[in-house]
Amino acid sequence: MRGKTRRISAPRRLIADLMHASQGVPLISYRRTLHLGPLARARAAAASPPGFAAIFAKAFSLVARDEPLLRTLYIDFPWPHFFELPKSVGMIAVARRIDGEDCVLMQKVTAADTLPLHEVDAIIRGASTAPIETVPMFRKLLRISRMPWPLRRIAWWAGMSLDRPRANFFGSFGISSVSAFGPGDLYPVSPGPYILSYGRLSDDGRLEVVVRFDHRVIDAAPIARLTTRLEQVLNTTIAAEIERLDRPARALRAAAGP
């Protein structure tokens, strides 16, 4: 059958290179239902609740602050070793369109545990709406993807094999979800040691979460324990911050009267 040859765009080359780099990471999946009643109530009461990508980015960073393994990378050059980061670096998958083509780009959020939740949300929302060329992380990724194939392989090798570039370009954890587009489980891959995906929040506060982790860095039992800790942080620290975010708006509405 006859067809036509089409050039692979820079965003598709980025995904192809990302999948190639992810092949060497032995990711194991852990799926769990989180019971997030307090968080669900806080979001429902908020006039402008933060998105779940920001919520999970900050919650995971808060858990990782006391758990060095969640900030640890496996590096195999010049010899296999672990590289522990002083702070979490999240890579958030952002759906965009470039020249009429759907694509996914990654936005970096560093030390989300030290930032107000509304600021984390603004970083992610900004990356989903701002012109592509104004987002520094997008520019870097697309610039590499426009390189000739041999130079791309060298750049990706350096990014995967050297301590600091690995942290800067792939982070200590990733977040990817399609919950905004409908129900369903997503089991993404990543060159990083952790990647989280989540479904849609049910009416009774349940949320399906998938944590994929590099088995060279951590085992399943600690992941189960840390997921329990993640659930606690979401229902306490994060829920309380969302309530505080909305207090000025509620005060103004109360002052305005019926």
Side-chain angles (χ1 to χ4, degrees):
M1 182 179 292
R2 294 185 178 182
K4 65 178 182 179
T5 300
R6 293 174 52 198
R7 182 174 177 271
I8 302 176
S9 65
R12 296 321 306 170
R13 285 201 297 270
L14 170 63
I15 296 301
D17 291 340
L18 185 67
M19 295 300 98
H20 182 270
S22 300
Q23 290 177 358
V25 181
L27 291 175
I28 304 297
S29 300
Y30 176 73
R31 182 173 180 267
R32 178 164 166 180
T33 301
L34 301 186
H35 297 274
L36 303 178
L39 176 67
R41 289 189 290 274
R43 290 189 80 251
S48 299
F52 269 102
I55 286 172
F56 272 102
K58 179 158 186 177
F60 191 90
S61 297
L62 284 168
V63 176
R65 188 164 61 188
D66 300 321
E67 298 287 348
L69 279 180
L70 296 185
R71 295 179 275 107
T72 298
L73 312 178
Y74 180 95
I75 308 293
D76 57 11
F77 182 84
W79 56 82
H81 62 281
F82 291 134
F83 182 60
E84 181 184 315
L85 304 182
K87 53 191 174 184
S88 293
V89 181
M91 299 298 291
I92 316 301
V94 179
R96 297 297 307 260
R97 284 181 68 84
I98 299 179
D99 297 330
E101 180 183 32
D102 290 319
C103 64
V104 175
L105 299 172
M106 309 303 292
Q107 172 66 313
K108 182 164 68 173
V109 180
T110 303
D113 56 298
T114 66
L115 302 175
L117 185 56
H118 69 84
E119 187 172 328
V120 179
D121 191 53
I123 292 171
I124 298 170
R125 290 184 188 273
S128 67
T129 57
I132 298 293
E133 64 275 7
T134 66
V135 182
M137 193 65 195
F138 292 177
R139 289 202 307 269
K140 292 177 184 178
L141 293 172
L142 292 173
R143 185 166 60 243
I144 293 173
S145 296
R146 293 186 179 107
M147 292 179 177
W149 177 82
L151 294 180
R152 292 205 323 272
R153 279 291 179 263
I154 293 172
W156 277 81
W157 176 87
M160 287 292 294
S161 303
L162 304 177
D163 296 344
R164 293 182 64 185
R166 179 76 172 271
N168 287 330
F169 280 96
F170 303 115
S172 56
F173 72 95
I175 295 177
S176 180
S177 175
V178 292
S179 62
F181 305 100
D185 294 331
L186 180 67
Y187 292 81
V189 297
S190 168
Y194 303 94
I195 183 162
L196 283 76
S197 180
Y198 51 88
R200 304 188 80 170
L201 185 67
S202 67
D203 293 338
D204 60 358
R206 291 180 299 163
L207 186 70
E208 297 293 332
V209 172
V210 175
V211 182
R212 306 203 73 197
F213 57 96
D214 187 339
H215 208 342
R216 297 170 300 184
V217 176
I218 196 170
D219 298 324
I223 285 292
R225 174 178 58 83
L226 293 172
T227 304
T228 298
R229 176 61 182 148
L230 180 67
E231 182 180 59
Q232 294 170 346
V233 168
L234 289 166
N235 280 326
T236 55
T237 306
I238 299 298
E241 184 171 359
I242 293 173
E243 291 175 352
R244 289 196 302 272
L245 286 174
D246 200 48
R247 279 176 189 167
R250 288 203 301 269
L252 287 175
R253 290 196 296 268

